[in-house]
């Protein structure tokens, strides 16, 4: 079927199809959801197990290692890491990308259930949870008030929390840092000792007095009556009046030996919002819910909550939705500006508004058609899909330009009617534009084989570019000839300007000179390629380009075991420094103390700072971080301060297997040896240029006094290790003695020694425990004390202990820093069975680069095969492929001159170039082949092909480059993440365009000789 002829003869049909596409595309655009990145569900599981009061070593031996052995047999497990801390075990599994995570979760749970008898009897059953990128908080709120802390906590827990939880799309609302109410019974140690009251008996007495048990039912007349014996405490006075012992026929009440307080649980973490005590709310969205819509609804609810509760202040400390909206808007503007620049270039070359409007119409139609397909396939508007559109905008008009330029040339040179020129001109270049489109599309095929995070992210990018180019090809073969036949003027007078004719004449002169010195031209081109390769060592490398996300985190760490109040005091100094020297801040939230299941952060204070949008401040987040580092480093006694700006996409950093940045992992068994090796590594790499904030993951451990039980004495007295441990727990940390009911809520009752945290060890050993014979025995008679230090967390990877040395990189690329670290590690001696390696996102970078290099090689091979199939020749594709190494000259020089690193974005740009730069060569070779078939000589065919195709080559290349130019500047949120791709494409295309116009005709005349033409 002759599409150009059909389109020219059926203009109404083609117009209606175009209108249908526009309408459907507009509707799709209005319904498309916005997100930062494509939906990514990593095949990862976490198995959490609790074992109350077990030390990290016990957790590792009795729980973690058993879980690891069980789940290691599950098919598809690629990596296993674990953490064992007091009372908690977490084993994290990473599966191969093709693993069905739901099936894997069921398989893991089933295997754990089958082996439950391998675990201690009183553990909490292992819980399996899926890792989903949507589970990270979309909004983090800071709540502060002048209310009593307990009252504020209850207000948030009972009312505000549920208002946010009812918002459509919200999955979970987690409060953090609250003052949780409890009834605390603080025993007077002197009175308890004087009266000889065993702690375990006191605890049991309180428990027995606070019960509510059903006693059954009786028949009473016509009714069956339930009997109850409620004996729960109704007030604090009831607790105080409880008789706990009798001495000399005198009742001893609890109030006489203890103070009963209505207070809050012992604080292990403090939260301050903009300097005021408060709480933190982490709000997570449901998987599949739109981030921007959910965050927008949360912000609206904040306004309503502020109106209903004027006594509290709610500050959105972190809001993914705002950053996403600004990023998408910024990149969208870059796409729009790129399209406008492309149209202006066309107007400059064509000098005709009608002709320009023909091509200008192809851009929105192709874009809307692409968006319709994106919507139908359930994708979102995100940085990846917009990056594909930004690249596609310049390329969308390539085919249309070639078609229109050829129609224009036939009108000018052949004096054909508009309809004849439209049909014949389109048919003449139809093969060439189809070939160039296919070669561009085929470069994306290898991306299918890219695994891991890189593959999951860039599949949508490739999909959008493929759809955009197919739509633009359809527009070029149908709509463009139809519009050209109607809009092109019947007057075909010469419209070339003097400047254009002079430019064409100069090019013809240069090409004639090059054809006369062909080997010199090729040698010069090869020399340029060789010289550009010398720049490679000067170009840095990293996994992701740095991106200013408007967040800075300051962390201060003191010696493990430091009291919470001391850590808080030093953290306040950091807060004040931030208030005085960061005017760009919008909000800040300080967290002091341990977080979650990692108690090794108990001596740490961290401050998250939210900054103004980048266009409203003069300093970048990295500059602010550097300024704070200089002001805080070494100025706070006893505290090591580290400052870090969010470099790269926060979400993407979180989904990497080893997290972001660089770390050195040291593997072995003995914790002391690991600690010593970590010290050597930290000292060895600290002076490497660009490294800041070196942090050893585990230090000397938490200070502890080990109370060793004399088992022989305990056995003689009839005392078990459990009974002795329970007495100590009751005295120090306190034990729960039931619940206190008030206003429909239940609050724990905790029994412990008064001011237990400040007790001396001698006072603790003076406490008594009652033997089965009724004899009170002091604890010092069965316990001895050994001072020492113990680990707070034991980390393992691939069933082996490891210790990480973390660090930040500033003002230098990550790749060169990692290579220098590897060289330093080779100089550190290590015992047998111990290993060191660079990890973090550097490992992911190495794996991604290896796969992307393979993809580039595979893409070039596929392009050659496609060209060979189309030309039915092995020589002509070789000539076309010469444009690829010539593009490398522009890529490397552009990256070097702009200070851009080699990262996954610039690598994807190189893959794209493999399909783009050959398009110019295809136009030249295809035209030369047609002219040679008409009887022209090899030299004449090459010269005429260059003359005829220079304008469309300049036009297509310039529109593609200018279409990407706004993105290449990397201005504003989101754009800097896509800038390396745009710069790589622009640089490669510019160099290839200039060199190809000379080298390809020269190479064509070398591989084709006149005798061969005669035989043909």
């Amino acid at each position: 079927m002759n599409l150009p002829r059909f389109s020219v003869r059926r203009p109404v049909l083609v117009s209606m199809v175009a209108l249908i596409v526009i309408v459907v595309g507009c509707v799709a655009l209005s319904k498309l959801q916005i997100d930062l990145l494509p939906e990514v569900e990593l095949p990862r599981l976490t198995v959490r197990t609790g074992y109350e009061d077990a030390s990290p070593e016990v957790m590792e031996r009795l729980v973690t290692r058993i879980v690891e052995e069980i789940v290691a047999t599950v098919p598809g497990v690629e990596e296993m890491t674990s953490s064992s801390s007091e009372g908690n075990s977490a084993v994290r599994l990473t599966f191969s990308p093709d693993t069905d995570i739901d099936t894997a979760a069921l398989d893991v749970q089933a295997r754990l259930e089958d082996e439950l008898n391998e675990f201690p009897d009183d553990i909490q059953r292992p819980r399996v949870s899926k890792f989903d990128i949507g589970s990270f908080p979309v909004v983090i709120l800071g709540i502060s008030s002048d209310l009593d802390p307990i009252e504020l906590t209850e207000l948030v827990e009972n009312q505000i929390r549920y208002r946010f939880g009812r918002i459509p799309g919200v999955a979970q609302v987690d409060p953090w840092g609250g003052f949780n109410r409890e009834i605390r019974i603080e025993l007077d140690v002197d009175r308890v000792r004087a009266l000889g009251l065993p702690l375990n008996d006191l605890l049991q007495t309180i428990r027995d007095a606070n019960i509510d048990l059903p006693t059954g039912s009786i028949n009473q007349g016509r009714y069956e009556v339930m009997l109850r014996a409620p004996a729960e405490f109704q007030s604090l006075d009831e607790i105080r009046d409880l008789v706990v012992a009798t001495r000399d026929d005198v009742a001893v009440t609890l109030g006489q030996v203890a103070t009963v307080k209505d207070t809050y649980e012992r604080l292990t973490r403090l939260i301050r919002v903009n300097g005021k005590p408060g709480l933190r709310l982490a709000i997570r969205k449901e998987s599949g819910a739109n981030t921007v819509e959910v965050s927008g609804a949360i912000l609206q609810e904040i306004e309503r909550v502020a109106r209903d509760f004027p006594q509290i202040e709610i500050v959105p400390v972190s809001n993914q939705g705002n950053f996403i909206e600004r990023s998408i808007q910024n990149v969208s503007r870059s796409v729009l500006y790129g399209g406008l620049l492309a149209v202006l270039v066309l107007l400059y070359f064509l000098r005709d508004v009608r002709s320009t409007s023909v091509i200008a119409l192809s851009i929105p139609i192709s874009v809307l058609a692409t968006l319709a397909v994106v919507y139908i396939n359930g994708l979102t508007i995100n940085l990846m899909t917009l990056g594909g559109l930004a690249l596609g905008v310049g390329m969308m008009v390539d085919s249309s330009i070639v078609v229109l330029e050829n129609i224009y040339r036939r009108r000018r040179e052949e004096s054909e009617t508009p309809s004849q020129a439209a049909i014949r001109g389109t048919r003449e270049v139809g093969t060439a534009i189809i070939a160039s489109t296919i070669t561009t599309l085929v470069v994306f095929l290898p991306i299918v084989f890219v695994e891991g995070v890189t593959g999951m992210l860039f599949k949508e990018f490739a999909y959008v570019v493929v759809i955009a180019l197919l739509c633009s090809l359809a527009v070029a073969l149908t709509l463009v000839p139809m519009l050209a036949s109607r809009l092109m003027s019947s007057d075909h007078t010469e419209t070339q300007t003097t400047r254009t004719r002079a430019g064409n004449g100069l090019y013809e002169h240069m090409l004639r000179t090059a054809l006369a010195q062909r080997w010199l031209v090729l040698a010069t081109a090869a020399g340029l390629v060789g010289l550009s390769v010398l720049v490679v060592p000067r170009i840095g490398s990293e996994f992701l380009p740095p991106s200013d996300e408007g967040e800075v985190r300051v962390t201060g760490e003191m010696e493990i075991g430091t009291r919470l109040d001391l850590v808080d005091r030093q953290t306040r100094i950091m807060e004040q420094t931030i208030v005085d020297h960061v005017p760009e801040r919008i909000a800040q939230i300080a967290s002091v103390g341990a977080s979650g299941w990692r108690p090794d952060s108990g001596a740490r204070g961290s401050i998250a700072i939210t900054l103004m949008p980048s266009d409203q401040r003069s300093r970048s987040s990295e500059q602010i971080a550097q300024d704070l580092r200089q002001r805080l480093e070494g100025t706070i006694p006893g505290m090591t301060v580290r400052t870090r700006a969010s470099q790269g996409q926060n979400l993407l950093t979180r989904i990497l297997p080893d997290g972001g940045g660089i770390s050195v992992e040291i593997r072995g068994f003995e914790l002391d040896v690991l600690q010593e090796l970590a010290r050597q590594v930290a000292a060895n790499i600290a002076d490497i240029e660009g490294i800041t904030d070196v942090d050893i993951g585990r230090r000397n451990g938490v200070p502890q006094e080990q109370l060793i039980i004399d088992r022989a004495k305990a056995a003689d007295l009839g005392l078990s290790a459990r009974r002795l441990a329970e007495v100590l727990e009751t005295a120090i940390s306190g034990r729960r003695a039931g619940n206190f009911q008030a206003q429909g809520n239940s609050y724990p009752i905790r029994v412990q020694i008064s001011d237990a945290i400040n007790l001396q060890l001698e006072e603790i050993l003076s406490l008594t425990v009652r033997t089965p014979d009724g004899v009170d025995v002091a604890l010092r008679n069965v316990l001895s004390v050994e001072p020492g230090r113990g680990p707070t967390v034991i980390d393992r990877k691939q069933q082996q202990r490891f210790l990480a040395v973390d660090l930040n990189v500033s003002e230098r690329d990550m790749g060169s820093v990692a290579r220098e670290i590897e060289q330093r590690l080779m100089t550190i001696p290590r015992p047998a069975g111990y290993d060191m390696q660079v990890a973090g996102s550097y490992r992911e970078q190495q794996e991604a680069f290896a796969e992307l290099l393979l993809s580039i090689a595979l893409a070039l091979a596929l392009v050659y095969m496609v060209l060979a199939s189309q030309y039915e020749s092995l020589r002509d594709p070789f000539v076309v492929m010469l444009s690829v190494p010539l593009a490398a000259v522009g890529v490397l020089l552009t990256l070097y001159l702009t200070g851009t690193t080699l990262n996954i974005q610039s690598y994807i740009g190189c893959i794209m170039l493999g399909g783009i730069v050959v398009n110019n060569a295809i136009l030249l070779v295809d035209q030369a082949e047609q002219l040679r078939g008409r009887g022209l000589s090899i030299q004449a065919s090459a010269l005429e092909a260059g003359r005829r195709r220079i304008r469309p080559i300049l036009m297509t290349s310039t529109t593609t480059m200018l279409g990407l130019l706004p993105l290449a500047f990397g201005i504003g949120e989101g754009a800097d993440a896509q800038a390396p791709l745009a710069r790589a494409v622009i640089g490669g295309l510019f160099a290839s365009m200039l060199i190809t116009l000379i080298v390809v005709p020269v190479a064509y005349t070398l591989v084709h000789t006149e005798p061969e033409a005669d035989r043909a």
Side-chain angles (χ1 to χ4, degrees), residues 68 254 282 330 362 394 445 470 495 801 823 826 840 853 951 1008:
E68 289 177 343
L254 186 60
N330 188 57
S362 67
L445 187 59
L470 289 176
T495 59
R801 287 178 175 178
Q823 295 173 0
M826 297 299 293
L853 283 173
R951 267 170 59 92
H1008 291 281

Side-chain angles (χ1 to χ4, degrees), residues 308-416:
D308 297 340
F309 300 95
Q311 69 272 38
I312 66 173
E313 180 182 359
I314 303 180
V315 178
V317 179
S318 174
N319 184 356
Q320 286 186 22
N322 279 348
F323 177 71
I324 292 172
E325 281 189 298
R326 292 197 301 266
S327 299
I328 298 302
Q329 289 172 1
N330 188 57
V331 177
S332 299
R333 283 195 297 269
S334 297
V335 174
L336 178 61
Y337 296 155
L340 293 175
L341 286 173
V343 171
L344 291 176
V345 169
L346 295 176
L347 185 60
Y348 172 79
F349 277 100
L350 296 177
R351 306 281 176 169
D352 182 71
V353 175
R354 289 187 175 185
S355 300
T356 304
S357 63
V358 170
I359 297 179
L361 284 173
S362 67
I363 296 178
I365 293 175
S366 299
V367 169
L368 290 172
T370 303
L371 292 176
V373 178
V374 166
Y375 174 76
I376 292 171
N377 284 274
L379 306 182
T380 61
I381 291 293
N382 54 64
L383 290 183
M384 294 297 108
T385 51
L386 275 179
L389 278 178
L391 183 60
V393 161
M395 298 173 61
M396 282 174 184
V397 296
D398 287 0
S399 299
S400 298
I401 286 173
V402 174
V403 169
L404 188 63
E405 169 62 18
N406 207 46
I407 294 172
Y408 186 86
R409 184 188 61 79
R410 294 189 71 92
R411 287 279 294 117
R412 187 178 66 245
E413 297 180 3
E414 308 293 338
S415 299
E416 295 177 343

Side-chain angles (χ1 to χ4, degrees), residues 255-273:
Q256 292 175 318
V257 296
T259 302
V260 181
K261 293 181 177 179
D262 187 347
T263 181
Y264 49 82
E265 295 177 2
R266 179 185 171 188
L267 296 177
T268 59
R269 187 173 189 86
L270 301 174
I271 301 292
R272 277 189 298 276
V273 181

Side-chain angles (χ1 to χ4, degrees), residues 141-145 149 152-153 156 176-179 269-281 313 589-590:
L141 303 179
I143 302 179
S144 60
S145 174
L152 174 62
T153 300
V156 171
W176 201 7
F179 287 65
R269 187 173 189 86
L270 301 174
I271 301 292
R272 277 189 298 276
V273 181
N274 293 334
K276 295 182 180 180
L279 286 83
R280 194 185 83 164
L281 281 187
E313 180 182 359
I589 184 166

Side-chain angles (χ1 to χ4, degrees), residues 910-979:
C910 294
I911 294 175
M912 280 295 309
L913 277 173
I916 297 174
V917 297
V918 297
N919 293 342
N920 295 337
I922 288 173
L923 291 177
L924 289 169
V925 172
D926 184 75
Q927 183 65 53
E929 283 292 290
Q930 291 185 28
L931 294 172
R932 195 161 65 93
R934 297 174 188 172
L936 270 69
S937 66
I938 300 295
Q939 292 266 355
S941 296
L943 191 62
E944 181 63 15
R947 187 190 69 81
R948 290 188 178 188
R949 291 293 174 250
I950 183 173
R951 267 170 59 92
I953 286 175
L954 290 176
M955 291 168 67
T956 55
S957 299
T958 306
T959 52
T960 301
M961 288 187 292
L962 290 182
L964 288 170
L965 189 61
L967 209 58
F969 286 125
I971 299 173
E973 280 112 337
D976 43 8
Q978 301 286 356

